[in-house]
Each structure stands twice: as structure tokens, then as C-alpha cells.
Amino acid sequence: MNDFNPHPHDENAEANYNKKQVKSVARTIDLLLLFADTRRYLTLQDISDMMGLPKSSTFELVNTMVQKGILELKHSGRKTYGLSLLAFEIGSAAIADIGVIDVARPYLQELNRVTGGTVFLGVENRGSIVYIDRAEDFAMLKADAKVGSRRDLHSTSLGKALLYALSDDQILKILGPEPYPANTPVTNTTSIAVLKDAKVSRERGYAIDNREDGPYMYCIGSVLRNHRNEPIASISVSSLATSLNDQKKKFIAEKVKETAMLISRQLGFRGTVLYGI
């Protein structure tokens, strides 16, 4: 007997049951992606509106995920929901499989020690830069980006560093239609400005976020390449902008470039420059 078939002698009922199960799985995945993209707590009404679901279906979906420990009620008064620690653990397990974290971590820690800035490691995912590791023990001011958080590629040095390792056509395809989001008044929001910044960044060998993602931070980043010369990740150092003079900026930039090459060598890269476009 097939224990998973509620109607063993009714093929139409079985087909309908299977379709319902697949639809439920798809909705579950869509809801997880919704929380990952919005990066805020949501009410049932928020979820219903954003997913285009009836309130009753939304309640069933959210309630099931709460019971399974993937979501949790974050504020009982406002009745907002968010991802649970279990969801973070699942995501962390997936990130660990990338492999670059184990290779990069000791270099990130050393870069944190010598620069005094918060050091990040990131990868591109669905048009955003995702922070997958950080080193901050020696940071005078800890940057607020958390492991697992997403930021725009065009405004962060971590995102730019990886983005600018691609061709101009690839950059524009990933960023999509302009204007791009203006996170501060100095964010590059047009393709002309982004490609101009890309050209300068490639020539000097690193990307800069000078208060473009946040109003107080100055960040320097570089791409990481693997044994197939593919840009697979990036690193950056974030510091309080007012704490840096030109000499300190130059020192951090050289250390970022040096560290990026060392990590890339460990990943099998055999080239001589990380930006060759």
C-alpha cells in the first residue's frame, strides 16, 4: 500500500493531491525569499498583499512554518513575523558549503588586525551582494552589516568589487533598468556613472564606497578569483570615513589588494592581476 496516496484507487484525486503539495512547497519557498529580500518583519496582511494570497491561505502558510520552527512571532503586539534562528542555521549550513569561507577566514582576521576596520566576505546572489563572513575583533567601529544580510551591488565596495570583475554588458544586465537605487545622495544611479566607476576601479585594482551605501562609512573592496579565473567572491574593509586620511586609505587599499591575491592564490588562481577587463 502507498501510504502517501490518500485515495489509492482514484488517479485524479492523487494527481490533484500532488499538485496541491507542489503548490504548497512553492509558496513556502516564495515566502522564505520574501523575508530574505525585505529584511524586515512582516504582518499577515503584509505577506498576504506582497504574495497576492488570500488572508486564510496566508494564515495557514505562516502558522505551519511557525510550527515547524522556520518562522517566529517577533512582536506579539504588532503581530509581526520573521525568520527564526533555525532558518539562519539552515542558511549558514548552505553558506559553509561554498568553501571559500574556510580558506578566507584567517586572511580576513589578519586584515582586520592590521587595518582596524571591519572586514567582510561576500558573494553575489540574485542581483545582490550577500555578506557571508566578517572579522571585527580589532575594529574600532563595527559596521552594521550582518552575516546573511543583502546589500546593493552598485553602492557597496563589496558589491562593486565583484561586479566590476565582469564585463560592462554583464554589469548592466545584472543591475537591470536604471535609475539604480539611491541609498545616499552620492550613490551612482545611472549606467554611465557606474561604468565610469568600474573603469577607474579596474585600473587601480580595487573598488571604493565613499559614503554611497551609508552616510558615514568608507569602504575598500577587491574581487576573489578561483582556479578557473572566475570572480566568485569579494572582500572589503569598512571604516568610519572621518577616521581616515589619505595615507590610511592608501594603506588599507594596498592591504586589501594583497589579501585578495593571497586568498585567490589559495583558491587556485594563477593570474597576475585580479582585474583584467
Side-chain angles (χ1 to χ4, degrees):
M1 176 181 288
N2 183 354
D3 293 335
F4 295 97
N5 184 355
H7 304 283
H9 304 297
D10 188 339
E11 292 183 359
N12 289 332
E14 179 182 5
N16 291 333
Y17 176 78
N18 289 337
K19 287 180 181 179
K20 184 177 180 180
Q21 292 299 95
V22 171
K23 191 174 184 179
S24 296
V25 172
R27 283 180 173 176
T28 300
I29 295 171
D30 287 342
L31 181 54
L32 288 171
L33 293 176
L34 177 63
F35 275 105
D37 287 339
T38 57
R39 291 181 290 171
R40 63 184 178 89
Y41 301 149
L42 303 172
T43 64
L44 288 175
Q45 189 63 57
D46 291 332
I47 298 168
S48 178
D49 293 342
M50 296 169 81
M51 293 186 66
L53 294 176
K55 194 76 173 287
S56 58
S57 299
T58 302
F59 174 79
E60 291 179 3
L61 178 60
V62 171
N63 189 52
T64 298
M65 294 180 70
V66 169
Q67 291 179 4
K68 293 296 183 181
I70 302 298
L71 297 181
E72 60 187 22
L73 184 63
K74 295 293 186 178
H75 193 287
S76 58
R78 291 192 289 267
K79 295 184 179 179
T80 52
Y81 295 85
L83 296 174
S84 69
L85 183 59
L86 176 59
F88 175 78
E89 290 172 350
I90 294 171
S92 297
I95 289 172
D97 286 341
I98 294 174
V100 68
I101 292 178
D102 290 336
V103 173
R105 179 163 291 145
Y107 295 97
L108 304 184
Q109 293 170 337
E110 176 62 12
L111 188 57
N112 166 233
R113 186 188 69 80
V114 299
T115 64
T118 303
V119 181
F120 293 104
L121 173 68
V123 296
E124 187 274 335
N125 178 259
R126 293 187 289 115
S128 299
I129 193 72
V130 180
Y131 292 69
I132 64 173
D133 202 6
R134 62 186 281 163
E136 60 182 6
D137 288 350
F138 296 91
M140 293 178 286
L141 176 70
K142 295 175 173 56
D144 63 353
K146 299 178 181 179
V147 172
S149 64
R150 292 172 172 270
R151 295 286 176 87
D152 290 322
L153 288 166
H154 71 286
S155 61
T156 59
S157 69
L158 196 65
K160 290 182 183 185
L162 189 50
L163 189 67
Y164 294 167
L166 306 175
S167 69
D168 287 355
D169 287 343
Q170 288 174 306
I171 290 174
L172 297 184
K173 183 177 180 181
I174 289 174
L175 292 182
E178 53 186 311
Y180 313 129
N183 297 316
T184 73
V186 295
T187 307
N188 291 323
T189 60
T190 67
S191 59
I192 292 176
V194 167
L195 294 183
K196 181 180 179 180
D197 188 37
K199 183 177 184 295
V200 173
S201 298
R202 291 165 184 154
E203 290 172 351
R204 69 183 170 220
Y206 57 90
I208 292 175
D209 157 21
N210 185 5
R211 311 182 198 198
E212 295 167 53
D213 193 64
Y216 307 110
M217 304 305 290
Y218 187 98
C219 313
I220 300 173
S222 178
V223 70
L224 304 180
R225 292 184 181 270
N226 65 8
H227 63 287
R228 290 190 292 269
N229 196 33
E230 298 167 334
I232 61 167
S234 55
I235 61 171
S236 70
V237 173
S238 296
S239 308
L240 186 65
T242 55
S243 70
L244 302 178
N245 55 28
D246 290 342
Q247 183 178 1
K248 182 66 172 179
K249 290 175 183 177
K250 183 178 179 180
F251 172 79
I252 293 175
E254 290 304 315
K255 288 300 179 182
V256 167
K257 290 170 61 177
E258 176 185 311
T259 302
M261 182 61 77
L262 289 172
I263 297 172
S264 296
R265 288 274 183 256
Q266 291 297 312
L267 295 170
F269 176 64
R270 290 295 173 262
T272 57
V273 292
L274 291 172
Y275 292 96
I277 295 176

